């Protein structure tokens, strides 16, 4: 069965901490995505990657960076966490041209 | 105005009822997706369609490209159908980029 795995379901961090959210997919997909989901706003794209070491900004990249050193792993980094980054974070992957995305189970991050 | 609009935002139904969730979009698309998100967060893809109609069990999805509209129907609804249903559209030819609606929160009462 296809799998996208996020490293944590729930995370509580302090303001100013550096936070790493990890995502691993086992489907050899080229494309990987990080979204955040907030009430009333739906899912919004933070960053995506279409190949190893490649990254593109999404709609709301400010305050975030990403790393893709291996094809199966896509990391989202909050350099200095702030309370307005409290949200549900979802990772997804897809194979080029197939149109279908597979999602992880989500990480609910609270920044206090 | 969002590029993808869903209605209703919230829906409460009795077990066994027929349910319809609507999605309208304002941009050209290469495909439309219906996703299901259960409490706890994980998202599952239900359908991906670019024309016509698809059926899977008690779920039916339809799309009218000319009217830029899609519907998700649930027949004989059950409490386990309670979830958030999200409409998303692929806006690029490769199908990689998704634009999402805000979701419809469905509760089915026994």
């Amino acid at each position: 069965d296809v799998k996208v795995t996020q490293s944590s379901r729930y995370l509580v961090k302090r303001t100013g901490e550096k936070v790493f959210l990890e995502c691993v997919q086992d489907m050899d997909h080229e494309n990987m995505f990080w979204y955040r989901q907030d009430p009333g706003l739906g899912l919004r794209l933070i960053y995506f990657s279409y190949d190893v070491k490649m990254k593109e900004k999404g709609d709301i990249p400010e305050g975030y960076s990403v790393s893709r050193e291996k094809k199966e792993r896509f990391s989202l980094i909050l350099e200095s966490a702030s309370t307005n980054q409290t949200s549900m974070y979802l990772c997804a992957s897809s194979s080029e041209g197939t149109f279908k995305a597979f999602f992880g189970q989500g990480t609910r991050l609270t920044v206090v | 105005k969002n590029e993808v609009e869903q209605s209703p935002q919230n829906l409460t139904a009795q077990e066994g009822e027929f349910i319809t969730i609507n999605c309208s979009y304002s941009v050209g698309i290469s495909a439309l997706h219906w996703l299901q998100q259960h409490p706890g967060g994980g998202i599952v893809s239900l359908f991906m369609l670019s024309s016509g109609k698809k059926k899977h069990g008690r779920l039916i999805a339809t799309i009218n490209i000319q009217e830029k509209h899609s519907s998700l129907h649930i027949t004989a609804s059950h409490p386990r159908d309670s979830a958030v249903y999200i409409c998303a559209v692929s806006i690029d030819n490769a199908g990689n980029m998704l634009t999402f609606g805000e979701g419809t929160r469905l509760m089915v009462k026994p």
Side-chain angles (χ1 to χ4, degrees), chain B residues 1-7 21-34 49-52 62-72 87-91 99:
Chain B
K1 186 170 164 45
N2 291 338
E3 291 174 325
V4 181
E5 297 271 357
Q6 285 185 238
S7 63
I21 300 170
N22 295 299
C23 175
S24 297
Y25 53 92
S26 58
V27 295
I29 69 169
S30 46
L32 183 140
H33 307 255
W34 281 103
L49 61 165
S50 54
S51 65
T62 64
I63 187 169
N64 184 317
I65 297 292
Q66 287 74 27
E67 294 186 6
K68 292 187 164 66
H69 181 269
S70 175
S71 294
L72 176 69
C87 173
V89 298
S90 298
I91 57 174
T99 298

Side-chain angles (χ1 to χ4, degrees), chain A residues 9-10 31 33 35 37 40-45 48 88 90 94-101 103-106, chain B residues 2 30-31 33 35 37 39-45 48 84 86 90 92-98 100-102:
Chain A
R9 291 295 300 274
Y10 300 95
N31 305 313
F33 308 83
Y35 298 95
Q37 184 180 32
L41 297 175
L43 279 91
R44 294 178 292 165
L45 181 65
F48 68 99
M88 168 70 88
L90 286 142
S94 69
S95 185
E96 185 67 24
T98 62
F99 291 72
K100 188 169 181 179
F103 287 82
Q105 76 275 31
Chain B
N2 291 338
S30 46
H33 307 255
L35 311 169
Q37 185 176 31
I43 291 177
V44 174
S45 178
M48 181 181 66
V84 175
I86 301 170
S90 298
D92 62 318
N93 287 334
N96 297 323
M97 303 305 296
L98 295 177
F100 297 84
E102 290 181 26

Side-chain angles (χ1 to χ4, degrees), chain B residues 46-84:
Chain B
L46 298 174
F47 294 103
M48 181 181 66
L49 61 165
S50 54
S51 65
K53 178 177 168 177
K54 286 191 176 180
K55 185 175 188 292
H56 182 70
R58 295 180 293 105
L59 302 178
I60 303 165
T62 64
I63 187 169
N64 184 317
I65 297 292
Q66 287 74 27
E67 294 186 6
K68 292 187 164 66
H69 181 269
S70 175
S71 294
L72 176 69
H73 305 285
I74 305 175
T75 62
S77 60
H78 190 276
R80 65 174 174 267
D81 297 326
S82 298
V84 175

